[in-house]
Amino acid sequence: MASAVAENATLSFTEGSGGGGSFLGPAVLPWAVALAALLLFFEQLSYLRKKGPLPGSTLVVPLLGSAVPMILNPTGYWRRLGEAAATRGLCADYLMGRFIVFLRSADLSHSVFSNVRPDAFQVIGHPFGRKLFGDHNLIYMFGQEHKDLRRRIAPNFTPKALATYLDLQQTIILSHIRKWIEMCESSPSPSSMPLRLLCRDMNLETSQTVFAGTYLSPEARRAFNVDYNLFNVGLMAVPFDLPGFAFRRARLAVHRLVSTLAGCVAESKRRMRSPATEPSCLVDFWMQETVREIAEAEQADGPPPPQSSDQEIGGHIFDFLFASQDASTSSLLWAVALLESHPEVLVRVRAEVSSLWSPAEDGTWPAITAEMMRGMRYTEAVVREVIRFRPPATLVPHIAAEDVPLPAAGYTVPKGAIVFPSLLEASFQGFTEAERFDPDRFSEERQEDRLHKKNFLAFGAGAHQCVGQRYAVNHLVLFVTIFVSLVDFRRHRTDGCDEITYVPTIVPRDDCRVFLARRCKRYPDF
C-alpha cells in the first residue's frame, strides 16, 4: 500500500508540474478564497467604522454597494436615503467602493457649500466627474484661482449680454414650438407627444447658439449633438472606463466636445481683436476682455493671462453647456406639467403676459424685450416656484479632502467620503406649506425666497453658486411667455405620470406627454 501511495503522489506531482495545475490549484484555491473573504470582511469593518452612529445599511454588497438599485431605480433609491436621514438630517451608504453621506438637512448642506477648500470639501459634480470632465474644470477650482475665473466670466451675464441672448433665445424657442404644433396638427387623429426630447433638442440648439453663435457650423452641430447624447448616457452608466462601455464613450465624447468649443474660442478671439466689433454671443463677450489682456501680456513680453488658452476656455464653455442644458430641460417640462395641473396659475400667467406682450392691431407680434421681461413679476415667481418645487439637479456631490467635522450633526465626515447635499429635500423644509405649488410665496408681499433663503438651493450656495442663474431664469420665463401665448395644451394623464424620474436631472415619468393645439391666429415673426 505504501508503494501505491508513493506512486499516486508521484503521478500527481508529475501532472501538476506538466502545466495542468492539478497540484497547485487545489492548494491555492482555499488560500484565495480565504484572502477574498478577509478583504470583504475588512471592507465591511471599514464601512461600519466610517458610518459610526449614522442611520443607513448595516451590511453592504461587496465592491458594488448600492450601485445596482441606484442605477435601476434612482428615484426609489434617493427617496429611501431621504427617509433614512429624516431623524438626524443625514445618513450613510456605500456606492462602487466609496463611502457616501447623504444630507437631508438644509443647514448641513449649507455647511458643505460654505466650506469648499483644499482641506475640506471639494465639488465633484459627479462621483466620477474628474474622469469625465478633466481636472481643470471650473467646479474643481477654489481659492484665488476660482475667484479670478469667475471675474473673467462675469461679463458674460451683464444686462447688455443677457439682452443680446434674449434675441437669440426667442427666435429658437418660437421655431421649435411651431414645429411641435405642426407635428400635432399633421397627425391624422388627435395624439399626444412627449416633450422631453423635443425640449432637449430646443435647449441644445439654444445653448449652442447663445454660447458659440455662428462659430459652430451645421456639420459641427450635428456631431456635437451625437457626442452630447453619448455624454448624457455615460452620466448614468456604471463607471467602467473600458472599451465598449458607455462611460468610456462619454469620456471620449467630452474630449471631442471641448475640442470643438476650443475651435469656436479661437475664431472668436480673431474676430474680437477688432475694437469696433460688437459681441454676438457668449464667447464674444468673454473674449472682449480676454484678447485685450493677451495683447497687453504680449507687449510686456510676459506669459499669457491664466485661463486664457483656447482649450481651457472651451472646457469652461462645456461646463456652462452641461450646467444649463439638462437643467433647463427639466425645468421646462415641470413648468408645462405644473401649469396644466394648476389652471388658476395658468390664467394669471396668461393675463400678465398678454398685458405686456400681445399682437398689434395688424396681427403682428413685437419682439420680447428685456423691459417686458422685467414686468413679468408673477411669471417669474411661477418659474422660481417651479425650480423650488422640482429643482432639476437634486444632488451636488462633494468629496471630503480631509476628515471634516459637522458639529451640528455630531459627526465627522471621513476623508475620501462623497457627500451628497440634497437640494430636493432642502426645498421642502422651511417654506410655508412646502408641499404645495404656490408661486405667491415669491411675491413682494411674502418674500419667502428671502425668509427661507437657506432652503432655496437649486442654484447652489457659497463660492460655487451658479454664475448663470439670471440667464437660466430668463430662459424659463421666455419659454413660458411664448408657450402659454401660442399654445393650448393639456396633459395625457396616466397613473404615475408626474412621478420623478432621473435622466440624470429629474423629469416627469411620462416625459411630459401632452396634446398641443395652436392658440394664436398668426405666429410672431422675430
Side-chain angles (χ1 to χ4, degrees):
M1 179 174 290
S3 62
V5 171
E7 182 179 350
N8 287 337
T10 302
L11 180 61
S12 297
F13 178 81
T14 304
E15 290 174 347
S17 61
S22 58
F23 175 76
L24 294 177
V28 171
L29 185 60
W31 288 100
V33 172
L35 179 61
L38 187 63
L39 291 174
L40 295 179
F41 175 70
F42 278 114
E43 181 185 40
Q44 294 285 338
L45 283 183
S46 174
Y47 166 75
L48 291 174
R49 178 181 60 82
K50 293 175 180 178
K51 175 178 176 290
L54 297 189
S57 303
T58 303
L59 297 176
V60 294
V61 176
L63 301 178
L64 290 176
S66 300
V68 173
M70 190 272 286
I71 291 171
L72 294 179
N73 182 12
T75 306
Y77 172 73
W78 295 114
R79 183 184 295 125
R80 285 194 297 275
L81 289 191
E83 292 168 354
T87 54
R88 294 188 56 138
L90 74 172
C91 68
D93 202 10
Y94 195 64
L95 277 177
M96 293 297 294
R98 303 297 296 267
F99 178 75
I100 73 166
V101 178
F102 177 89
L103 303 182
R104 180 180 184 274
S105 161
D107 289 328
L108 293 178
S109 294
H110 267 279
S111 67
V112 172
F113 287 129
S114 62
N115 204 10
V116 175
R117 305 193 315 268
D119 61 344
F121 295 108
Q122 298 176 15
V123 186
I124 56 175
H126 183 278
F128 301 92
R130 285 187 183 269
K131 282 190 174 183
L132 271 180
F133 307 128
D135 288 330
H136 301 291
N137 189 284
L138 172 63
I139 62 176
Y140 304 135
M141 294 181 180
F142 32 73
Q144 193 60 44
E145 182 185 32
H146 181 250
K147 290 179 182 177
D148 288 344
L149 182 57
R150 286 179 72 96
R151 176 183 61 79
R152 293 177 179 279
I153 292 169
N156 303 339
F157 300 106
T158 61
K160 180 181 178 181
L162 292 171
T164 300
Y165 309 153
L166 193 63
D167 293 336
L168 301 172
Q169 290 167 280
Q170 61 188 296
T171 301
I172 295 169
I173 290 171
L174 173 61
S175 68
H176 280 263
I177 289 177
R178 289 185 63 167
K179 290 177 188 175
W180 303 349
I181 296 173
E182 288 165 6
M183 288 167 61
C184 284
E185 290 178 342
S186 64
S187 177
S189 59
S191 60
S192 62
M193 62 183 185
L195 287 184
R196 182 169 74 87
L197 294 182
L198 297 174
C199 281
R200 176 191 172 277
D201 290 344
M202 179 188 73
N203 281 336
L204 192 54
E205 183 180 351
T206 306
S207 298
Q208 289 172 346
T209 305
V210 168
F211 297 165
T214 58
Y215 302 122
L216 273 178
S217 67
E219 296 77 15
R221 285 175 183 254
R222 284 191 287 270
F224 200 102
N225 294 351
V226 172
D227 279 336
Y228 196 84
N229 187 56
L230 291 174
F231 164 71
N232 244 356
V233 172
L235 282 175
M236 297 294 288
V238 177
F240 291 151
D241 193 10
L242 297 170
F245 284 85
F247 188 83
R248 167 66 66 87
R249 289 193 292 270
R251 188 173 64 79
L252 296 177
V254 170
H255 284 297
R256 292 191 295 270
L257 291 166
V258 171
S259 295
T260 299
L261 292 169
C264 298
V265 173
E267 290 187 43
S268 178
K269 281 180 177 176
R270 285 192 291 271
R271 180 172 176 267
M272 297 311 295
R273 284 193 176 98
S274 172
T277 305
E278 283 294 319
S280 62
C281 60
L282 181 144
V283 69
D284 283 349
F285 281 100
W286 194 334
M287 290 308 101
Q288 253 189 332
E289 182 67 14
T290 301
V291 295
R292 185 188 64 78
E293 292 184 358
I294 292 173
E296 290 177 354
E298 289 174 348
Q299 286 178 354
D301 200 23
Q307 302 295 327
S308 63
S309 75
D310 299 346
Q311 198 72 15
E312 286 171 324
I313 296 172
H316 298 321
I317 293 176
F318 175 74
D319 300 343
F320 290 167
L321 191 90
F322 170 56
S324 67
Q325 171 63 36
D326 294 302
S328 289
T329 297
S330 168
S331 294
L332 295 182
L333 297 177
W334 288 115
V336 172
L338 291 166
L339 283 170
E340 194 272 348
S341 62
H342 295 81
E344 74 287 356
V345 174
L346 177 59
V347 167
R348 289 180 63 183
V349 170
R350 279 179 167 157
E352 179 180 76
V353 168
S354 64
S355 71
L356 295 164
W357 183 63
S358 58
E361 291 183 3
D362 62 356
T364 60
W365 296 72
I368 300 171
T369 64
E371 185 179 358
M372 289 179 189
M373 296 276 284
R374 285 192 292 272
M376 297 179 186
R377 300 275 181 88
Y378 182 73
T379 305
E380 181 169 329
V382 170
V383 161
R384 291 191 176 275
E385 176 67 344
V386 168
I387 295 170
R388 181 203 70 86
F389 197 75
R390 290 291 182 264
T394 61
L395 302 155
V396 183
H398 291 63
I399 190 168
E402 301 289 345
D403 291 350
V404 186
L406 294 177
Y411 176 75
T412 296
V413 179
K415 178 180 179 179
I418 298 179
V419 182
F420 287 89
S422 175
L423 313 188
L424 181 64
E425 295 286 349
S427 292
F428 290 92
Q429 301 165 28
F431 291 99
T432 306
E433 295 183 85
E435 297 290 338
R436 189 162 71 92
F437 181 75
D438 180 13
D440 282 322
R441 73 175 75 252
F442 290 102
S443 66
E444 284 295 320
E445 293 74 27
R446 289 170 57 179
Q447 298 186 10
E448 289 193 24
D449 52 329
R450 298 179 186 176
L451 294 173
H452 306 292
K453 184 178 179 180
K454 70 176 183 180
N455 300 99
F456 189 66
L457 292 175
F459 294 109
H464 282 264
Q465 189 174 35
C466 176
V467 69
Q469 59 181 285
R470 184 68 252 178
Y471 168 79
V473 170
N474 277 2
H475 185 64
L476 297 177
V477 171
L478 191 60
F479 173 84
V480 168
T481 296
I482 298 174
F483 189 78
V484 302
S485 300
L486 308 185
V487 182
D488 279 321
F489 60 101
R490 63 182 177 88
R491 292 290 301 281
H492 182 176
R493 296 210 160 269
T494 55
D495 290 340
C497 65
D498 284 332
E499 290 183 7
I500 290 173
T501 298
Y502 287 76
V503 293
T505 52
I506 58 170
V507 300
R509 192 176 74 176
D510 71 339
D511 285 347
C512 196
R513 183 172 283 276
V514 292
F515 295 93
L516 302 180
R518 181 168 173 168
R519 188 169 186 265
C520 59
K521 294 181 179 179
R522 182 174 174 179
Y523 287 119
D525 184 4
F526 298 136

mmCIF file of all heavy atoms in Angstrom, residues 44-67:
data_model
loop_
_atom_site.group_PDB
_atom_site.id
_atom_site.type_symbol
_atom_site.label_atom_id
_atom_site.label_comp_id
_atom_site.label_asym_id
_atom_site.label_seq_id
_atom_site.Cartn_x
_atom_site.Cartn_y
_atom_site.Cartn_z
ATOM 1 N N GLN A 44 -16.258 45.522 5.061
ATOM 2 C CA GLN A 44 -17.424 45.738 5.924
ATOM 3 C C GLN A 44 -17.034 46.503 7.181
ATOM 4 O O GLN A 44 -17.723 47.434 7.604
ATOM 5 C CB GLN A 44 -18.051 44.389 6.300
ATOM 6 C CG GLN A 44 -18.659 43.618 5.153
ATOM 7 C CD GLN A 44 -19.983 44.198 4.691
ATOM 8 O OE1 GLN A 44 -20.649 44.909 5.431
ATOM 9 N NE2 GLN A 44 -20.368 43.905 3.465
ATOM 10 N N LEU A 45 -15.892 46.111 7.795
ATOM 11 C CA LEU A 45 -15.450 46.796 9.007
ATOM 12 C C LEU A 45 -15.152 48.273 8.736
ATOM 13 O O LEU A 45 -15.493 49.145 9.538
ATOM 14 C CB LEU A 45 -14.200 46.109 9.562
ATOM 15 C CG LEU A 45 -14.398 44.803 10.320
ATOM 16 C CD1 LEU A 45 -13.062 44.300 10.856
ATOM 17 C CD2 LEU A 45 -15.388 44.962 11.467
ATOM 18 N N SER A 46 -14.493 48.541 7.585
ATOM 19 C CA SER A 46 -14.177 49.924 7.227
ATOM 20 C C SER A 46 -15.454 50.743 7.060
ATOM 21 O O SER A 46 -15.544 51.892 7.537
ATOM 22 C CB SER A 46 -13.359 49.951 5.937
ATOM 23 O OG SER A 46 -13.168 51.274 5.497
ATOM 24 N N TYR A 47 -16.446 50.158 6.396
ATOM 25 C CA TYR A 47 -17.720 50.854 6.200
ATOM 26 C C TYR A 47 -18.387 51.159 7.538
ATOM 27 O O TYR A 47 -18.830 52.291 7.791
ATOM 28 C CB TYR A 47 -18.652 50.022 5.323
ATOM 29 C CG TYR A 47 -20.088 50.491 5.345
ATOM 30 C CD1 TYR A 47 -20.482 51.635 4.666
ATOM 31 C CD2 TYR A 47 -21.048 49.808 6.095
ATOM 32 C CE1 TYR A 47 -21.796 52.082 4.715
ATOM 33 C CE2 TYR A 47 -22.360 50.245 6.144
ATOM 34 C CZ TYR A 47 -22.730 51.378 5.458
ATOM 35 O OH TYR A 47 -24.027 51.820 5.505
ATOM 36 N N LEU A 48 -18.434 50.155 8.433
ATOM 37 C CA LEU A 48 -19.101 50.346 9.723
ATOM 38 C C LEU A 48 -18.359 51.366 10.587
ATOM 39 O O LEU A 48 -18.984 52.151 11.313
ATOM 40 C CB LEU A 48 -19.207 49.003 10.459
ATOM 41 C CG LEU A 48 -20.167 47.990 9.818
ATOM 42 C CD1 LEU A 48 -20.072 46.650 10.536
ATOM 43 C CD2 LEU A 48 -21.603 48.498 9.849
ATOM 44 N N ARG A 49 -17.012 51.376 10.502
ATOM 45 C CA ARG A 49 -16.232 52.346 11.269
ATOM 46 C C ARG A 49 -16.547 53.762 10.800
ATOM 47 O O ARG A 49 -16.731 54.681 11.601
ATOM 48 C CB ARG A 49 -14.750 52.039 11.126
ATOM 49 C CG ARG A 49 -13.842 53.026 11.862
ATOM 50 C CD ARG A 49 -12.378 52.680 11.658
ATOM 51 N NE ARG A 49 -12.009 52.709 10.251
ATOM 52 C CZ ARG A 49 -11.708 53.809 9.570
ATOM 53 N NH1 ARG A 49 -11.765 54.998 10.181
ATOM 54 N NH2 ARG A 49 -11.366 53.755 8.306
ATOM 55 N N LYS A 50 -16.605 53.974 9.474
ATOM 56 C CA LYS A 50 -16.900 55.298 8.930
ATOM 57 C C LYS A 50 -18.348 55.694 9.209
ATOM 58 O O LYS A 50 -18.654 56.861 9.463
ATOM 59 C CB LYS A 50 -16.624 55.326 7.433
ATOM 60 C CG LYS A 50 -15.161 55.171 7.071
ATOM 61 C CD LYS A 50 -14.971 55.082 5.563
ATOM 62 C CE LYS A 50 -13.502 54.925 5.196
ATOM 63 N NZ LYS A 50 -13.304 54.783 3.735
ATOM 64 N N LYS A 51 -19.238 54.730 9.150
ATOM 65 C CA LYS A 51 -20.665 55.009 9.359
ATOM 66 C C LYS A 51 -20.927 55.479 10.789
ATOM 67 O O LYS A 51 -21.703 56.422 11.008
ATOM 68 C CB LYS A 51 -21.470 53.742 9.049
ATOM 69 C CG LYS A 51 -22.954 53.832 9.343
ATOM 70 C CD LYS A 51 -23.630 52.534 8.946
ATOM 71 C CE LYS A 51 -25.111 52.538 9.302
ATOM 72 N NZ LYS A 51 -25.323 52.472 10.769
ATOM 73 N N GLY A 52 -20.279 54.844 11.743
ATOM 74 C CA GLY A 52 -20.481 55.235 13.136
ATOM 75 C C GLY A 52 -21.940 55.195 13.536
ATOM 76 O O GLY A 52 -22.651 54.222 13.243
ATOM 77 N N PRO A 53 -22.452 56.283 14.130
ATOM 78 C CA PRO A 53 -23.836 56.277 14.622
ATOM 79 C C PRO A 53 -24.883 56.659 13.563
ATOM 80 O O PRO A 53 -26.068 56.740 13.889
ATOM 81 C CB PRO A 53 -23.793 57.335 15.725
ATOM 82 C CG PRO A 53 -22.777 58.326 15.233
ATOM 83 C CD PRO A 53 -21.735 57.515 14.518
ATOM 84 N N LEU A 54 -24.456 56.894 12.334
ATOM 85 C CA LEU A 54 -25.410 57.376 11.336
ATOM 86 C C LEU A 54 -26.411 56.296 10.943
ATOM 87 O O LEU A 54 -26.072 55.102 10.891
ATOM 88 C CB LEU A 54 -24.676 57.842 10.075
ATOM 89 C CG LEU A 54 -23.706 59.015 10.196
ATOM 90 C CD1 LEU A 54 -23.266 59.457 8.805
ATOM 91 C CD2 LEU A 54 -24.356 60.181 10.939
ATOM 92 N N PRO A 55 -27.651 56.690 10.616
ATOM 93 C CA PRO A 55 -28.583 55.732 10.020
ATOM 94 C C PRO A 55 -28.038 55.258 8.671
ATOM 95 O O PRO A 55 -27.268 55.962 8.022
ATOM 96 C CB PRO A 55 -29.866 56.549 9.833
ATOM 97 C CG PRO A 55 -29.688 57.778 10.660
ATOM 98 C CD PRO A 55 -28.227 58.033 10.744
ATOM 99 N N GLY A 56 -28.447 54.073 8.262
ATOM 100 C CA GLY A 56 -28.002 53.543 6.976
ATOM 101 C C GLY A 56 -27.850 52.042 7.030
ATOM 102 O O GLY A 56 -28.004 51.414 8.086
ATOM 103 N N SER A 57 -27.532 51.449 5.894
ATOM 104 C CA SER A 57 -27.397 49.995 5.808
ATOM 105 C C SER A 57 -26.319 49.511 6.768
ATOM 106 O O SER A 57 -25.249 50.119 6.901
ATOM 107 C CB SER A 57 -27.020 49.582 4.383
ATOM 108 O OG SER A 57 -27.978 50.047 3.460
ATOM 109 N N THR A 58 -26.595 48.381 7.416
ATOM 110 C CA THR A 58 -25.601 47.777 8.305
ATOM 111 C C THR A 58 -24.626 46.919 7.523
ATOM 112 O O THR A 58 -23.419 46.945 7.755
ATOM 113 C CB THR A 58 -26.289 46.928 9.384
ATOM 114 O OG1 THR A 58 -27.214 47.754 10.093
ATOM 115 C CG2 THR A 58 -25.274 46.350 10.355
ATOM 116 N N LEU A 59 -25.139 46.150 6.581
ATOM 117 C CA LEU A 59 -24.309 45.331 5.708
ATOM 118 C C LEU A 59 -24.422 45.859 4.285
ATOM 119 O O LEU A 59 -25.491 46.297 3.861
ATOM 120 C CB LEU A 59 -24.752 43.864 5.756
ATOM 121 C CG LEU A 59 -24.615 43.158 7.115
ATOM 122 C CD1 LEU A 59 -25.191 41.746 7.027
ATOM 123 C CD2 LEU A 59 -23.158 43.115 7.558
ATOM 124 N N VAL A 60 -23.320 45.815 3.544
ATOM 125 C CA VAL A 60 -23.318 46.326 2.175
ATOM 126 C C VAL A 60 -22.830 45.244 1.222
ATOM 127 O O VAL A 60 -22.037 44.376 1.592
ATOM 128 C CB VAL A 60 -22.412 47.573 2.044
ATOM 129 C CG1 VAL A 60 -22.985 48.722 2.838
ATOM 130 C CG2 VAL A 60 -20.987 47.286 2.475
ATOM 131 N N VAL A 61 -23.316 45.315 -0.005
ATOM 132 C CA VAL A 61 -22.875 44.380 -1.036
ATOM 133 C C VAL A 61 -21.409 44.663 -1.344
ATOM 134 O O VAL A 61 -21.040 45.816 -1.584
ATOM 135 C CB VAL A 61 -23.727 44.535 -2.316
ATOM 136 C CG1 VAL A 61 -23.206 43.625 -3.428
ATOM 137 C CG2 VAL A 61 -25.189 44.246 -2.013
ATOM 138 N N PRO A 62 -20.553 43.636 -1.335
ATOM 139 C CA PRO A 62 -19.126 43.868 -1.581
ATOM 140 C C PRO A 62 -18.886 44.598 -2.887
ATOM 141 O O PRO A 62 -19.529 44.339 -3.901
ATOM 142 C CB PRO A 62 -18.545 42.443 -1.621
ATOM 143 C CG PRO A 62 -19.494 41.625 -0.825
ATOM 144 C CD PRO A 62 -20.843 42.222 -1.068
ATOM 145 N N LEU A 63 -17.955 45.549 -2.855
ATOM 146 C CA LEU A 63 -17.490 46.311 -4.009
ATOM 147 C C LEU A 63 -18.569 47.205 -4.609
ATOM 148 O O LEU A 63 -18.402 48.406 -4.755
ATOM 149 C CB LEU A 63 -16.919 45.387 -5.089
ATOM 150 C CG LEU A 63 -15.733 44.511 -4.657
ATOM 151 C CD1 LEU A 63 -15.293 43.611 -5.805
ATOM 152 C CD2 LEU A 63 -14.569 45.363 -4.181
ATOM 153 N N LEU A 64 -19.732 46.639 -4.962
ATOM 154 C CA LEU A 64 -20.774 47.415 -5.629
ATOM 155 C C LEU A 64 -21.567 48.287 -4.665
ATOM 156 O O LEU A 64 -22.007 49.373 -5.006
ATOM 157 C CB LEU A 64 -21.738 46.489 -6.374
ATOM 158 C CG LEU A 64 -21.200 45.779 -7.609
ATOM 159 C CD1 LEU A 64 -22.261 44.829 -8.166
ATOM 160 C CD2 LEU A 64 -20.788 46.786 -8.672
ATOM 161 N N GLY A 65 -21.765 47.806 -3.439
ATOM 162 C CA GLY A 65 -22.620 48.537 -2.518
ATOM 163 C C GLY A 65 -24.038 48.621 -3.056
ATOM 164 O O GLY A 65 -24.610 47.618 -3.495
ATOM 165 N N SER A 66 -24.599 49.824 -3.094
ATOM 166 C CA SER A 66 -25.975 50.017 -3.567
ATOM 167 C C SER A 66 -26.025 50.474 -5.020
ATOM 168 O O SER A 66 -27.021 51.057 -5.454
ATOM 169 C CB SER A 66 -26.688 51.055 -2.689
ATOM 170 O OG SER A 66 -26.747 50.645 -1.355
ATOM 171 N N ALA A 67 -24.961 50.219 -5.789
ATOM 172 C CA ALA A 67 -24.894 50.721 -7.168
ATOM 173 C C ALA A 67 -26.027 50.179 -8.027
ATOM 174 O O ALA A 67 -26.607 50.917 -8.828
ATOM 175 C CB ALA A 67 -23.548 50.365 -7.795
#
